[in-house]
Amino acid sequence: MSHDLGRYNLLPFNQFGSHTNSSCLNAALALTHDIQTARSKGLVSTFLAVDIKGFFNHVDHDRLVTVLHYLGFPPQIVSWVKSFLQGRFVRVQVDDCVGDPHPQNVGAPQGSPVSPILTCIYSSIVLSTLDRFPIFDMTGPDANPVAPRALVDNFGFLACSHDLETNIYTLKKTLKVAIDILLKIGMKVDPDKCDLMHFTWRKGLETFGIDGNPPLVTDLYGECIILTAPASIRWLGFHLDRKLSFRHHVTTVVKKGIAIVHGL
């Protein structure tokens, strides 16, 4: 399955992980490349990182089988996946007391090497939809569509324009569309694992609006959330700061290394 995904481009190009020649490092390099390219054009960037809540636990088996048929996988592969997912159940055990089995009609078993591949295929509609229909519908020099990307359950949306307020507006629209698509396939964004980061090298607060750090305020499942860009955020294990200097990342990694040495 991994071979076919890469050979026939069955996943969106911005879906990293779970197939050949596509790793966590590739995702990080692609993000930094886009931010630095925007900088070279005199633009500022804003990145919104979101995490899918219970990513593996909300895979609808029937829909997944339909998606595999649609992508053109051989019937024997589709039948194998269907057999792999069916007939699963869970029991709750407390000490020596074991509960009755409950059938699991949704979800991909975590720990299996095939589950990340299947789940990425299942959720690929989010990236493919955003790729086909850019969210930003304004015209003029600031009309830059959002650049979505994902590594398994870690999604990220990058907006680039001449000011941070425009980026916030773009990301709010993008997040709403992504949430609507996820709801249709039975998935949700985890409100507690959303991060925002502005990338700019400009000097002077007048360039960035009122306070130089505009927040993203939106409604998420009936609750208002406010995301403000901190000094740095952690995405895919990388610490990203406002100027993309990686100083905080290096400092953090060095501290961990020293702690390990002291432990030895």
Side-chain angles (χ1 to χ4, degrees):
M1 292 185 69
S2 177
H3 174 267
D4 287 347
L5 288 174
R7 180 177 181 181
Y8 300 107
N9 297 318
L10 300 181
L11 282 179
F13 71 95
N14 41 8
Q15 171 67 66
F16 297 90
S18 301
H19 57 100
T20 55
N21 300 321
S22 178
S23 65
C24 176
L25 182 59
N26 296 131
L29 288 174
L31 176 61
T32 56
H33 172 270
D34 290 347
I35 296 171
Q36 291 169 345
T37 300
R39 180 195 179 189
S40 67
K41 296 180 180 180
L43 305 176
V44 292
S45 306
T46 304
F47 183 65
L48 174 63
V50 301
D51 189 84
I52 308 302
K53 192 173 184 178
F55 189 61
F56 295 96
N57 300 330
H58 297 92
V59 176
D60 183 270
H61 297 170
D62 292 336
R63 185 187 183 279
L64 176 58
V65 170
T66 301
V67 172
L68 294 175
H69 273 295
Y70 175 79
L71 292 177
F73 278 98
Q76 60 269 27
I77 295 294
V78 178
S79 297
W80 182 89
V81 171
K82 187 175 181 180
S83 175
F84 172 75
L85 295 173
Q86 289 180 341
R88 295 188 175 275
F89 62 89
V90 63
R91 285 181 171 179
V92 178
Q93 178 176 350
V94 179
D95 297 329
D96 296 330
C97 180
V98 181
D100 297 330
H102 296 275
Q104 295 295 293
N105 299 322
V106 296
Q110 296 190 46
S112 170
V114 76
S115 291
I117 300 175
L118 295 177
T119 312
C120 286
I121 293 174
Y122 183 82
S123 62
S124 62
I125 185 175
V126 178
L127 294 180
S128 59
T129 301
L130 293 176
D131 290 337
R132 289 196 306 268
F133 306 105
I135 301 303
F136 207 44
D137 53 9
M138 291 180 63
T139 59
D142 289 339
N144 298 291
V146 70
R149 66 204 69 224
L151 179 76
V152 193
D153 60 336
N154 298 281
F155 281 69
F157 309 106
L158 180 69
C160 305
S161 69
H162 287 283
D163 61 86
L164 299 177
E165 294 287 354
T166 301
N167 291 346
I168 292 294
Y169 173 72
T170 305
L171 292 174
K172 286 179 64 175
K173 294 182 63 178
T174 302
L175 182 60
K176 184 180 184 305
V177 173
I179 288 174
D180 291 342
I181 300 173
L182 288 168
L183 283 175
K184 292 179 180 179
I185 63 175
M187 292 184 170
K188 288 186 176 182
V189 169
D190 191 341
D192 297 326
K193 296 183 179 179
C194 295
D195 292 300
L196 184 75
M197 175 53 67
H198 298 301
F199 299 97
T200 175
W201 288 259
R202 297 174 181 172
K203 296 181 179 180
L205 297 181
E206 68 278 358
T207 309
F208 315 128
I210 299 176
D211 58 0
N213 187 12
L216 190 154
V217 183
T218 187
D219 180 83
L220 197 58
Y221 309 119
E223 296 184 8
C224 178
I225 65 168
I226 302 176
L227 300 177
T228 304
S232 67
I233 64 171
R234 185 177 182 270
W235 191 64
L236 306 183
F238 297 91
H239 297 270
L240 306 173
D241 58 75
R242 187 163 184 146
K243 293 188 176 181
L244 209 63
S245 66
F246 285 99
R247 292 177 181 174
H248 180 67
H249 176 79
V250 172
T251 301
T252 303
V253 174
V254 168
K255 288 181 178 178
K256 289 182 178 179
I258 293 175
I260 293 174
V261 171
H262 289 170
L264 296 175

